[in-house]
Structures are given as structure tokens and as C-alpha cells.
């Protein structure tokens, strides 16, 4: 192989490496954007869950303050149970989202390992 052919081969390999580097950077940027969006969703979800819990506490406090033992107390208890069920459902949703995020993290770790193994070669 001539010196010129060797230089051409090296230049071609460098161009291929640069294209792969750009592709990886684009993938990393997309993953970072997705992570930012996921963090914002988590923050919003936690805010909703906290509001639901605060609402439940407020409702129970109002019911306790009334001290009625009549139909009002039965209605208050029913409302408190309904609110508790809503809170439980919301926490279930948060747990589901945590599981989804766990899967995302595992995927990102796999991606990082594959990128690392490419650079080690």
C-alpha cells in the first residue's frame, strides 16, 4: 500500500469516527432532554401526591373538629375513605412511574457501557 493510500485510509477512518462521535453525541443529547422532561414530570407528580395527602389530612381534621355522631359523621367517614382511596391510587401511579424510570436508568446504563466498550477498543 502506498503512502498516499495509507493517508487516505486513515482520513476515511477518521471521518467515520467523527460521524460515529456525532451520532453518539446526538443520542446523549436526546437522552439528556428526555431525562429533564422525566424529572419535571416526577416533580409535578410528587406535588399532586402531596396535595392529595394534605387534602386528606384537612378533611379528617374538619371531620374530627365537628364531633358529630349523626349522619354527618357517617358522610365524613365516607368522604375520608374516598380521599384515602384516591391517595392510594395516586401513590400507586407514582410507584408505577418509578418502575418505568428504573427501566430507563437501566437502559441508560446499558447505553453507557456500550459506548464505553466502543471507546476502549
Amino acid at each position: 500500500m502506498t503512502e498516499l493510500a495509507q493517508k487516505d485510509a486513515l482520513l476515511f477512518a477518521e471521518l467515520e469516527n467523527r460521524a460515529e462521535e456525532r451520532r453518539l453525541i446526538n443520542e446523549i443529547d436526546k437522552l439528556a432532554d428526555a431525562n429533564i422532561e422525566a424529572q419535571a414530570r416526577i416533580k409535578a407528580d410528587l406535588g399532586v401526591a402531596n396535595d392529595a395527602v394534605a387534602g386528606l389530612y384537612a378533611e379528617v381534621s374538619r371531620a374530627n373538629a365537628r364531633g358529630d355522631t349523626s349522619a354527618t359523621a357517617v358522610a365524613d367517614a365516607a368522604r375520608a375513605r374516598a380521599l384515602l382511596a384516591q391517595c392510594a391510587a395516586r401513590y400507586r401511579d407514582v410507584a408505577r412511574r418509578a418502575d418505568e424510570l428504573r427501566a430507563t436508568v437501566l437502559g441508560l446504563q446499558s447505553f453507557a457501557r456500550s459506548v464505553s466498550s466502543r471507546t476502549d477498543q
Side-chain angles (χ1 to χ4, degrees):
M1 183 179 271
T2 68
E3 184 177 330
L4 182 60
Q6 287 177 337
K7 286 182 180 180
D8 284 347
L10 286 173
L11 180 60
F12 183 74
E14 179 67 22
L15 290 173
E16 283 183 331
N17 287 338
R18 296 290 178 175
E20 177 67 8
E21 183 179 296
R22 281 190 300 277
R23 187 187 69 73
L24 290 173
I25 288 171
N26 287 338
E27 283 184 42
I28 290 168
D29 287 344
K30 287 177 188 175
L31 290 170
D33 291 343
N35 186 44
I36 289 168
E37 290 173 13
Q39 292 298 324
R41 282 192 305 272
I42 289 169
K43 187 175 180 179
D45 288 347
L46 289 175
V48 170
N50 286 335
D51 290 346
V53 169
L56 177 61
Y57 280 126
E59 187 65 29
V60 169
S61 292
R62 281 191 295 274
N64 288 340
R66 281 193 289 273
D68 289 338
T69 57
S70 62
T72 304
V74 172
D76 287 344
R79 174 122 172 93
R81 285 191 298 274
L83 288 171
L84 182 59
Q86 288 174 358
C87 288
R90 189 67 190 131
Y91 280 118
R92 179 205 58 219
D93 293 343
V94 170
R96 178 192 48 79
R97 183 69 182 131
D99 288 343
E100 291 171 355
L101 291 172
R102 179 182 179 276
T104 300
V105 167
L106 291 175
L108 291 172
Q109 288 173 336
S110 175
F111 174 77
R113 279 191 298 274
S114 71
V115 169
S116 177
S117 69
R118 288 180 193 169
T119 59
D120 290 342
Q121 295 174 353

